[in-house]
Amino acid sequence: MIPILAHTNPNIITNMQSGIFLRHVAVPQDHGSWVFILSPLLIGLFAGNTFFYASFNLIVAALAAFMLRQPATMLVKIMSGRRGKDDLTPARFWFGVYLFICALAILALVLEGFGYVIYLAVPGALIFGWHLYLVSQRDERRQAGVEIVATGALSLAAPAAYWIGIGDYDHAGWLLWILIWMQTAASIVYAYLRLDQRNLDHVPDLHEKWKMGRRAAIYTTFNL
């Protein structure tokens, strides 16, 4: 194996990297979205207080499913004519890689007796399909409602990690899910408020300020 690699033409490796290993196809470009999958996982793991091999498999499955969104979105954009076909091969490659990893991790969870946590992925799959439909219609940008619902699905990673940690189902997992979802929803609403404020050409009066920030204030007050 080593002699083969030693005599491999460097141009072949370069062409493979430029043809398949494309960052904008393999890795989600909206960097702020990582917190919406990593936070529920970490909170659920620490709340469960015990790290099993099944916990590792859950992390792998959740991250692979999260990464799957990028190549899937690229494929939909290509099929709907929003992008050229130059990215078709790498999009297919990474979609297959992430799907295979996710399937293996899910199979491991089932074999370890935690198959019931897979049901939590059902709403995530439905929302994912909704997102891809919006992409095909060129209507996925600045959809605060869609993002809030999507973070609710991602927040289900918290009760899954919690139940695996304690080794059984517990109603407290649902409370954990609601708390995390409400917090992420408030952060999204506030982020959209800040984006709208960037377009202001003057400082609005008190009434206009409250009108703009009312939703963010209500979400945060409710959470408190």
Side-chain angles (χ1 to χ4, degrees):
M1 187 68 180
I2 294 177
I4 294 175
L5 292 176
H7 292 87
T8 300
N9 190 332
N11 292 329
I12 296 177
I13 298 176
T14 302
N15 292 334
M16 288 179 60
Q17 292 177 340
S18 61
I20 296 178
F21 300 100
L22 301 180
R23 182 180 178 85
H24 69 279
V25 176
V27 182
Q29 299 301 294
D30 45 346
H31 304 296
S33 63
W34 282 95
V35 69
F36 297 131
I37 183 63
L38 294 178
S39 291
L41 277 174
L42 288 173
I43 292 172
L45 290 170
F46 278 95
N49 202 35
T50 306
F51 191 90
F52 295 109
Y53 180 63
S55 304
F56 171 76
N57 288 323
L58 176 66
I59 294 173
V60 172
L63 292 180
F66 178 76
M67 297 285 285
L68 186 68
R69 182 173 66 95
Q70 186 65 17
T73 300
M74 294 296 296
L75 286 173
V76 172
K77 286 183 177 180
I78 293 170
M79 289 186 292
S80 60
R82 295 181 59 180
R83 294 187 68 93
K85 293 186 177 181
D86 294 339
D87 295 332
L88 182 59
T89 298
R92 286 175 174 173
F93 173 78
W94 289 110
F95 183 85
V97 168
Y98 294 142
L99 186 62
F100 178 71
I101 294 174
C102 186
L104 281 182
I106 290 175
L107 177 61
L109 284 172
V110 172
L111 294 177
E112 291 171 294
F114 293 101
Y116 61 89
V117 302
I118 308 304
Y119 292 112
L120 296 175
V122 174
L126 294 175
I127 296 168
F128 184 47
W130 183 18
H131 167 74
L132 293 180
Y133 170 75
L134 292 175
V135 171
S136 68
Q137 301 299 309
R138 302 171 182 260
D139 196 28
E140 80 277 13
R141 295 184 179 276
R142 292 188 66 83
Q143 292 278 1
V146 177
E147 293 185 22
I148 290 173
V149 174
T151 56
L154 293 176
S155 298
L156 288 168
Y162 172 68
W163 292 334
I164 289 176
I166 64 175
D168 199 4
Y169 171 82
D170 186 271
H171 293 296
W174 295 115
L175 177 60
L176 195 64
W177 169 61
I178 292 173
L179 290 172
I180 295 173
W181 187 11
M182 291 298 99
Q183 191 277 328
T184 55
S187 68
I188 290 172
V189 171
Y190 180 71
Y192 271 90
L193 169 64
R194 298 296 291 159
L195 289 173
D196 290 338
Q197 289 175 338
R198 292 173 59 183
N199 299 322
L200 296 176
D201 54 3
H202 67 281
V203 178
D205 57 28
L206 185 61
H207 174 73
E208 189 64 24
K209 286 180 180 178
W210 169 247
K211 185 178 179 180
M212 291 184 66
R214 177 175 54 195
R215 188 179 181 187
I218 291 174
Y219 271 66
T220 305
T221 303
F222 174 79
N223 288 345
L224 179 62

